[in-house]
């Protein structure tokens, strides 16, 4: 049984010099994620895809399946710490 909705995936077809950059937004508050998606001009930052996760489990799955260049993460979330999640890929 899923506590949160499935991760969202928004695609922006903007490529700067052929370079594709992906962003992952992680927050347990869906309103924060939605605000970041809408208020930031991702195309001007050469971002081609925006992924979102609402818990650590979803974020780990997205990070395993995709090449994420930028990660914006809440620090305190139910089910795990954002700091622990971000330290994981370094080890």
């Amino acid at each position: 049984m899923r506590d949160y909705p499935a991760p969202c995936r928004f695609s922006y077809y903007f490529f700067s010099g052929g370079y594709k950059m992906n962003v992952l937004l992680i927050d347990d508050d869906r309103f924060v994620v939605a605000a970041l998606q809408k208020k930031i001009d991702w195309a001007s930052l050469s971002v081609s895809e925006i992924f979102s996760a609402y818990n650590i489990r979803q974020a780990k799955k997205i990070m395993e399946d995709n090449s994420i260049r930028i990660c914006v993460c809440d620090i305190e979330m139910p089910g795990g710490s954002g700091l622990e999640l971000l330290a994981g890929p370094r080890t």
Side-chain angles (χ1 to χ4, degrees), residues 4 24 26-28 53-64 71 73-86:
Y4 295 91
L24 174 58
I26 311 163
D27 199 310
D28 56 320
Y54 305 107
N55 59 45
I56 299 296
R57 182 180 43 85
Q58 289 177 344
K60 285 181 180 179
K61 177 68 174 151
I62 291 170
M63 291 173 87
E64 289 173 3
C71 188
C73 185
D74 189 6
I75 294 176
E76 293 184 26
M77 291 184 286
S81 165
L83 294 176
E84 292 172 6
L85 173 71
L86 298 176

Side-chain angles (χ1 to χ4, degrees), residues 6-10 21-27 32-34 36-37 40 42 47-74 77 82 85-86 89:
C8 299
R9 181 176 176 172
F10 294 91
M21 188 163 47
N22 295 331
V23 172
L24 174 58
L25 305 175
I26 311 163
D27 199 310
V32 171
V33 173
L36 290 171
Q37 289 171 341
I40 296 174
W42 295 106
V47 171
S48 59
E49 291 189 75
I50 301 171
F51 297 91
S52 61
Y54 305 107
N55 59 45
I56 299 296
R57 182 180 43 85
Q58 289 177 344
K60 285 181 180 179
K61 177 68 174 151
I62 291 170
M63 291 173 87
E64 289 173 3
D65 296 343
N66 301 281
S67 174
I68 302 298
R69 297 287 182 183
I70 300 173
C71 188
V72 179
C73 185
D74 189 6
M77 291 184 286
L85 173 71
L86 298 176

